[in-house]
């Protein structure tokens, strides 16, 4: 099922499930099963909504809602750098890595599906990064690889829009990864149980219809269980926390010539089984 966080026509933030273009409101303005999608994960509701509850919930057309980030209020967003060999090759970094490269993104930098990706006037190198997002289902600390997946709620799509000049001018990547309106997350969060063959899932990023990135999940350098085990070795993860697993080769900065983003460019990230995340670049002050 496609779980969604959204704002309704009355301006209320809520959540629900989208089925064939119809959104069933399960949040505060509807059936009120939980206060938010994150709360639904915390309370064990996520992935367990019944057909009877769907029939009982008020509905509205998906076209009428304002998409919010799939999880609007994670305590932690941890991002992984150079986690596909194709991206390692184009950057010249990370070959034979012994541990993942980890950096943070702030929750208030996030946007939803169809919301504008905000290109600040203070950057001249605005880029895309299509990625798989992993959302944690229950408290996780010092996990081993074998038990890691027992703590996953589901998967979504992320576009880690990056201000490359800010990212690369210092030793830390955090400045270039946290401008307002640059962390696109959505349109849906899909339960882990709904994914039949993770390894063969494909990720594709398109700019104005042109394919820029294409990879399968089996290309990940560090697997999802390995990432969870490593991260929980140094920090505790909680329900609703998000791990952004890295981007494949094909980012704009390393194309010849560089193909960075400008006002009006439409960027789509599609992952099989998870939908299409679409955002249009907008210049802002």
């Amino acid at each position: 099922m496609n779980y969604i966080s959204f704002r309704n026509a009355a301006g209320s933030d809520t959540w629900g499930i989208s089925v064939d273009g119809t959104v069933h409101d399960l949040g505060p303005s509807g059936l009120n099963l939980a206060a938010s999608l994150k709360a639904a994960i915390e309370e064990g509701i996520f992935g367990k909504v019944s057909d009877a509850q769907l029939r009982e919930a008020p509905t509205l057309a998906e076209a009428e809602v304002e998409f919010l980030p799939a999880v609007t209020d994670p305590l932690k967003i941890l991002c992984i750098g150079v986690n596909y060999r194709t991206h390692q090759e184009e950057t010249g970094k990370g070959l034979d890595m012994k541990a993942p490269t980890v950096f943070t993104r702030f929750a208030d930098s996030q946007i939803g599906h169809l919301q504008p990706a905000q290109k600040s006037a203070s950057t001249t190198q605005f880029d895309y990064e299509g990625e798989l997002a992993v959302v944690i289902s229950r408290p996780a600390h010092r996990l081993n690889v074998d038990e890691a997946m027992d703590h996953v709620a589901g998967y979504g799509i992320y576009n880690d829009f990056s201000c490359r000049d800010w990212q690369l001018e210092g030793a830390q990547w955090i400045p270039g990864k946290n401008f307002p309106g640059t962390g696109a997350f959505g349109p849906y969060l899909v339960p882990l149980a709904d994914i039949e063959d993770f390894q063969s899932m494909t990720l594709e990023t398109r700019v104005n219809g042109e394919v820029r990135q294409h990879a399968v999940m089996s290309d990940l350098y560090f697997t999802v269980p390995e990432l969870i085990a490593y991260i929980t070795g140094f920090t505790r993860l909680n329900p609703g926390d998000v791990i952004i697993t890295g981007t494949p080769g094909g980012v704009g900065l390393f194309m010849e010539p560089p193909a960075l983003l400008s006002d009006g460019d439409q960027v789509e990230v599609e992952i099989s089984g998870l939908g299409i995340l679409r955002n249009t670049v907008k210049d802002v002050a």
Side-chain angles (χ1 to χ4, degrees):
M1 289 186 173
N2 294 332
Y3 285 75
I4 173 177
S5 295
F6 65 97
R7 182 168 294 141
N8 62 24
S12 298
D13 291 356
T14 185
W15 66 278
I17 292 175
S18 182
V19 181
D20 297 328
T22 297
V23 175
H24 302 254
D25 189 347
L26 304 174
S29 59
L31 203 56
N32 201 22
L33 296 184
S36 66
L37 188 49
K38 177 184 167 185
I41 296 170
E42 291 174 327
E43 296 166 21
I45 297 168
F46 179 79
K48 298 179 181 178
V49 175
S50 68
D51 290 340
Q53 288 172 316
L54 281 183
R55 289 193 295 270
E56 186 181 350
T59 62
L60 62 166
E62 187 178 280
E64 298 175 355
V65 309
E66 178 184 348
F67 286 83
L68 300 175
V71 180
T72 59
D73 54 347
L75 291 176
K76 295 174 183 173
I77 304 173
L78 295 166
C79 305
I80 308 301
V82 288
N83 198 31
Y84 286 82
R85 190 168 293 279
T86 52
H87 192 42
Q88 294 173 351
E89 291 170 350
E90 71 181 359
T91 62
K93 298 178 180 178
L95 297 175
D96 300 320
M97 295 167 62
K98 293 181 174 59
T101 297
V102 183
F103 59 93
T104 55
R105 177 177 275 281
F106 308 142
D108 64 359
S109 71
Q110 293 195 125
I111 54 175
H113 173 59
L114 300 180
Q115 293 183 341
Q118 299 178 31
K119 179 180 179 292
S120 170
S122 63
T123 183
T124 60
Q125 296 182 342
F126 198 56
D127 209 349
Y128 54 86
E129 289 192 5
E131 310 198 26
L132 173 79
V134 178
V135 176
I136 298 300
S137 61
R138 56 194 179 100
H141 192 216
R142 296 181 179 174
L143 301 180
N144 60 47
V145 170
D146 292 339
E147 61 187 340
M149 296 306 295
D150 294 335
H151 293 71
V152 173
Y155 297 124
I157 305 173
Y158 217 94
N159 195 333
D160 184 33
F161 286 101
S162 304
C163 300
R164 298 295 191 196
D165 37 3
W166 285 78
Q167 176 189 351
L168 300 175
E169 69 179 358
Q172 299 294 328
W173 293 357
I174 292 173
K177 299 287 190 172
N178 282 286
F179 275 67
T182 60
F185 186 15
Y188 312 117
L189 181 62
V190 177
L192 179 66
D194 290 1
I195 304 301
E196 295 181 357
D197 184 6
F198 175 83
Q199 293 293 96
S200 66
M201 292 169 63
T202 60
L203 181 157
E204 185 170 279
T205 304
R206 299 180 290 270
V207 178
N208 301 325
E210 176 191 358
V211 175
R212 297 283 185 88
Q213 297 180 293
H214 187 89
V216 293
M217 292 301 119
S218 59
D219 290 340
L220 284 167
Y221 189 86
F222 292 104
T223 67
V224 171
E226 288 170 341
L227 293 174
I228 294 171
Y230 179 79
I231 290 169
T232 61
F234 70 83
T235 190
R236 186 182 302 274
L237 295 179
N238 293 288
D241 285 350
V242 184
I243 299 172
I244 313 303
T245 57
T247 198
V251 299
L253 181 66
F254 294 104
M255 296 182 70
E256 293 291 345
L260 294 158
L261 298 172
S262 300
D263 184 71
D265 285 342
Q266 184 182 89
V267 187
E268 295 178 322
V269 184
E270 181 173 5
I271 299 180
S272 48
L274 304 182
I276 300 174
L277 172 64
R278 183 179 298 112
N279 302 92
T280 300
V281 177
K282 180 180 180 181
D283 284 344
V284 295

